[in-house]
Amino acid sequence: MQLPSLDSERVSKYITKRLKWYVLDYAQAKAGALGVSGGIDSATTAFLAARALGPKRLFCYVLPGRATRQEDIQDAEEVIRRLKIPKANHEIIPITDIVGLLKEKLGKLSKVEEGNLTARVRMAILHQRAWRERAIVIGTGDKSELTIGYFTKYGDGGVDLLPLGGLYKTHVRQLASYLGVPERIIRKPPTPALWDGQTAEGELGINYDTLDRILYLRFEEWLDPQEITNRLGVAKGKVDRVMTMVKVTQHKRLPPEVFKIGFRDFGSDWRYPRQWA
Amino acid sequence: MAQIFTVALAQIGSRLGNVEKNLEKHLEHVERARKSGAAFVVFPELSLTGYMLRDLAYEVADDCKKALKSVATASKGIYTILGFVNEPRPGIYQNAAALLYNGKILGVVPKYYLPNYGPFEEKRYFKEAGVKDLKVFNTKYAKLGITICEDVWHPEPCEALARLGADVIFCISSSPIRGFYGAKGKTVGERSWEKILGTRAIENTVYMIFVNKAGAEDEEYFWGGSTIISPDGVEVAKAKHLDEDFVIGEVDLNRLVRVRRFSSFRDHHQDFHNLLRRL
């Protein structure tokens, strides 16, 4: 069983159209801002955003940390070069020292604590720069990662908009190819690069091809885990582990819970649309 | 009755809850259609308010009432069909269509089938129409019926309107993108709509005139693709996919005669309906 195919041309037109409308018309912003890591998601997002807004209305920030590899910085710069982002619209801001200062004040941090802190420092910088440019922060997360909660809450999750949020990683790869994202970026193993040697598939214990098919069958075809196991020929334990990741990270995908007191409260029966007049 | 006339498909997007802004767009399109000599100008479902209203559905009816008067006044010599939130009794709301002409509201038609699945939650907000609401309007150009979106996914409303004499059935819609998969790039929803509209036109030998919204409302995006389908299932006009558009298409009532002479449309076994009523 394969994921349903994607018409990259039409889907990219669709996302581009929505991005343009959201940033310029609805949000009344002057531009979009995003962090470019040298990975496939941020590269694909940057290509789409450049199509939607034009390179002059896109601000790209490379924010290398302690665990960022030199080749990723080069790839990020290549994306910026290919998109012809004007010099005034891109910047490399190393964050190792910033995170180091915080570590000095916070004492010894575990690997995950430092990783989350790093992601949140990036988020804070992106919002600061975006505010200065009257831009909104365009996130780069894809559907696979959002669904299993493979992101830092208020870190890379702290964005205004997620244009790839409806696309599995498998589909992002297809779209990246169509858009002309450099092959090297498409082929290299995805990583949040929050600590040395980290790769997404290594940390998750599953490759994206399998993960995407499990997620699609469970949540779009509504199959139960046993049926998914039968259809894909993967161990039941693997499917169960994915389901657990989805469930325990539900809080990351929703606004904070508010305890009900009044007649109408947030998250309960405060049901106004996002676009309110 | 004129045998041949034109219909303007005003495939617009709406700002959620902003009736004032949406009214401006309606007035522009009515004027444009009038100048082009169209007999009808048709807007999408809940065009005055936007579709994904959620609890704003409770708060826009008064503004709609005022806006209807403005559009009716602007509809000089042209029939306008639009979508709005109707409040027939205090605190009771309907997802409704209005037919306006020469300063008058000729009729209001509420929606029969309220979808309540996926992103839709219309039963939370609206009261559904019943058969007492079925109306065929006798206009200068044609006898017509009006349906709203989900109504067409069930055979009865169109069948009843056709049997009551409608030769043209308008379907105003807010159909969002869903399942944007597949090599040919059409969403699951679009493929289904094409089949359903063609079926309704052929089985009832009527013109089906479908006007969908185009644009974003919260996470949803309405895919446009408004169309006119002739009684033999041929697409005679088509608006853009995804974008707002304004398309004028021709309706030729002579075609009804030819098609009905080669159709079993006139046959009707009441026993089936008696059986369905019991099931």
Side-chain angles (χ1 to χ4, degrees):
Chain A
M1 176 268 160
Q2 295 301 315
L3 276 187
S5 61
L6 202 71
D7 183 333
S8 295
E9 186 184 345
R10 289 190 90 187
V11 170
S12 62
K13 274 188 190 161
Y14 166 69
I15 294 175
T16 301
K17 193 181 297 291
R18 293 200 68 165
L19 250 171
K20 185 178 179 186
W21 182 82
Y22 189 97
V23 175
L24 303 178
D25 288 351
Y26 168 64
Q28 293 281 299
K30 291 200 180 318
L34 80 156
V36 183
S37 69
I40 185 170
D41 285 348
S42 66
T44 308
T45 306
F47 270 66
L48 289 165
R51 279 186 174 204
L53 306 169
K56 287 182 186 165
R57 287 206 188 103
L58 187 60
F59 289 84
C60 294
Y61 300 98
V62 185
L63 306 167
R66 191 177 56 74
T68 305
R69 296 169 303 181
Q70 194 55 37
E71 65 179 83
D72 290 335
I73 298 174
Q74 287 164 0
D75 287 340
E77 288 175 322
E78 175 64 14
V79 167
I80 289 165
R81 201 162 33 245
R82 287 211 188 183
L83 296 176
K84 298 187 170 57
I85 305 295
K87 206 169 177 192
N89 286 25
H90 65 85
E91 200 176 352
I92 297 185
I93 306 173
I95 61 165
T96 310
D97 290 349
I98 301 170
V99 175
L101 280 172
L102 287 166
K103 276 167 71 181
E104 270 178 35
K105 299 286 180 192
L106 297 172
K108 188 171 167 51
L109 302 180
S110 72
K111 190 170 71 175
V112 173
E113 284 170 343
E114 185 177 336
N116 283 336
L117 188 66
T118 303
R120 287 174 185 138
V121 165
R122 288 191 175 114
M123 178 277 294
I125 293 170
L126 286 174
H127 280 277
Q128 182 276 318
R129 286 296 197 255
W131 176 258
R132 180 180 287 175
E133 305 296 347
R134 300 293 176 264
I136 64 163
V137 176
I138 301 173
T140 62
D142 62 46
K143 188 171 187 173
S144 312
E145 292 170 355
L146 295 177
T147 314
I148 58 170
Y150 191 61
F151 61 91
T152 298
K153 192 174 182 178
Y154 311 128
D156 47 332
V159 295
D160 295 314
L161 179 68
L162 286 161
L164 300 185
L167 295 169
Y168 298 102
K169 183 76 85 188
T170 309
H171 286 147
V172 173
R173 285 174 176 148
Q174 287 175 28
L175 200 59
S177 258
Y178 168 78
L179 293 167
V181 171
E183 199 60 29
R184 205 165 90 101
I185 294 175
I186 298 172
R187 283 178 186 277
K188 70 182 172 185
T191 171
L194 295 176
W195 53 80
D196 294 332
Q198 184 188 26
T199 65
E201 291 180 336
E203 192 180 3
L204 296 168
I206 189 168
N207 62 52
Y208 276 109
D209 176 54
T210 309
L211 174 67
D212 290 352
R213 289 184 295 152
I214 291 171
L215 294 176
Y216 174 77
L217 288 176
R218 177 66 189 91
F219 295 109
E220 297 201 48
E221 296 284 344
W222 302 70
L223 297 183
D224 64 40
Q226 186 57 56
E227 183 60 24
I228 295 168
T229 303
N230 299 343
R231 291 209 188 179
L232 297 184
V234 297
K236 175 78 167 26
K238 198 166 254 188
V239 177
D240 289 342
R241 213 163 58 74
V242 170
M243 290 312 122
T244 302
M245 284 193 272
V246 176
K247 288 178 192 171
V248 300
T249 58
Q250 175 74 337
H251 68 98
K252 291 178 155 188
R253 289 178 293 271
L254 297 174
E257 183 160 320
V258 171
F259 299 148
K260 176 93 180 177
I261 288 181
F263 290 117
R264 298 173 85 189
D265 282 311
F266 307 113
S268 168
D269 44 10
W270 176 272
R271 296 192 183 201
Y272 288 104
R274 189 189 295 275
Q275 292 161 19
W276 192 349
Chain B
M1 239 180 235
Q3 291 297 301
I4 299 176
F5 56 88
T6 55
V7 177
L9 312 177
Q11 180 174 291
I12 61 165
S14 305
R15 289 302 284 252
L16 269 173
N18 193 337
V19 176
E20 196 181 338
K21 190 106 186 158
N22 296 328
L23 172 62
E24 283 172 24
K25 202 181 261 190
H26 280 68
L27 295 176
E28 281 166 25
H29 282 75
V30 169
E31 189 54 21
R32 187 174 172 192
R34 237 169 51 81
K35 280 186 178 158
S36 72
F40 294 86
V41 56
V42 191
F43 293 89
E45 175 183 15
L46 291 177
S47 55
L48 275 178
T49 61
Y51 179 80
M52 301 301 296
L53 287 166
R54 311 201 80 192
D55 282 6
L56 282 181
Y58 299 131
E59 302 179 13
V60 291
D62 285 345
D63 287 345
C64 284
K65 203 183 278 183
K66 289 179 208 148
L68 275 190
K69 283 184 190 158
S70 299
V71 183
T73 305
S75 302
K76 290 185 193 107
I78 186 168
Y79 291 91
T80 300
I81 296 172
L82 54 73
F84 73 108
V85 174
N86 188 37
E87 188 178 9
R89 297 175 61 198
I92 303 295
Y93 303 95
Q94 293 171 321
N95 177 347
L99 176 66
L100 314 170
Y101 184 67
N102 274 348
K104 288 187 183 150
I105 299 170
L106 298 184
V108 168
V109 179
K111 191 170 181 177
Y112 304 97
Y113 285 96
L114 302 176
N116 227 41
Y117 53 82
F120 311 113
E121 45 185 17
E122 290 188 33
K123 284 184 183 165
R124 176 181 164 87
Y125 301 108
F126 300 128
K127 181 178 174 7
E128 64 188 12
V131 289
K132 65 176 173 24
D133 297 300
L134 275 171
K135 286 186 192 84
V136 169
F137 297 94
N138 206 350
T139 69
K140 263 170 71 178
Y141 302 98
K143 288 184 176 176
L144 63 92
I146 301 172
T147 58
I148 306 176
C149 202
E150 193 86 1
D151 293 339
V152 165
W153 286 62
H154 299 263
E156 309 92 348
C158 288
E159 187 177 7
L161 287 168
R163 298 217 155 257
L164 287 168
D167 291 325
V168 178
I169 295 179
F170 291 89
C171 174
I172 63 171
S173 179
S174 284
S175 172
I177 279 181
R178 180 175 161 269
F180 206 161
Y181 298 134
K184 288 186 181 165
K186 278 189 182 168
T187 70
V188 170
E190 290 171 77
R191 285 193 286 263
S192 305
W193 267 107
E194 280 177 3
K195 290 186 172 74
I196 282 174
L197 289 168
T199 304
R200 295 291 167 265
I202 292 167
E203 70 186 358
N204 297 302
T205 55
V206 291
Y207 269 93
M208 289 297 300
I209 299 179
F210 169 76
V211 179
N212 192 20
K213 197 168 280 174
E217 289 183 14
D218 282 5
E219 281 74 6
E220 308 304 328
Y221 195 95
F222 301 97
W223 50 272
S226 303
T227 185
I228 298 177
I229 310 283
S230 71
D232 44 354
V234 176
E235 187 180 279
V236 295
K238 181 82 170 177
K240 282 182 194 161
H241 182 256
L242 301 182
D243 286 319
E244 290 191 325
D245 202 1
F246 182 85
V247 168
I248 293 181
E250 190 178 271
V251 171
D252 178 0
L253 295 181
N254 296 301
R255 208 156 173 167
L256 294 169
V257 177
R258 175 167 62 79
V259 175
R260 284 177 183 167
R261 284 177 187 166
F262 197 78
S263 158
S264 61
F265 161 64
R266 57 189 170 276
D267 297 336
H268 186 72
H269 284 278
Q270 288 183 356
D271 290 348
F272 282 112
H273 293 267
N274 290 334
L275 173 67
L276 284 167
R277 197 167 53 199
R278 292 198 301 272
L279 294 177

